[in-house]
Amino acid sequence: LDPGVILIEQNGADNDVHLIVVGLCDVVVNGRPIAARGAGDHVGEMAAIQPAQPRSATVVAREETVVATLSE
């Protein structure tokens, strides 16, 4: 992913889980950055646990990022 690309959109209905292989992503809630996730981390796991719930955060690539995506 190029910097600035949105991996997960807050309130989205998808349920993919993403494993960050290389790079860095910001976790943003209501427009405010709250955390960062990097290589070896995962994002989106709550959608796999509770697929009926909308996404609680946006995840955006801060730098060039490679992810592995697990889809239902």
Side-chain angles (χ1 to χ4, degrees), residues 44-66:
E45 69 281 357
M46 290 307 297
I49 295 168
Q50 297 179 329
Q53 296 294 318
R55 295 288 191 165
S56 60
T58 294
V59 178
V60 59
R62 183 189 302 178
E63 60 187 36
E64 285 286 326
T65 302
V66 176

Side-chain angles (χ1 to χ4, degrees), residues 7-58:
L7 184 60
I8 295 173
E9 184 79 43
Q10 186 173 3
N11 296 317
D14 63 306
N15 60 358
D16 294 340
V17 176
H18 306 279
L19 308 173
I20 302 171
V21 178
V22 176
L24 187 64
C25 293
D26 290 313
V27 180
V28 180
V29 175
N30 299 325
R32 298 180 66 190
I34 62 162
R37 298 289 183 264
D41 291 330
H42 52 83
V43 293
E45 69 281 357
M46 290 307 297
I49 295 168
Q50 297 179 329
Q53 296 294 318
R55 295 288 191 165
S56 60
T58 294

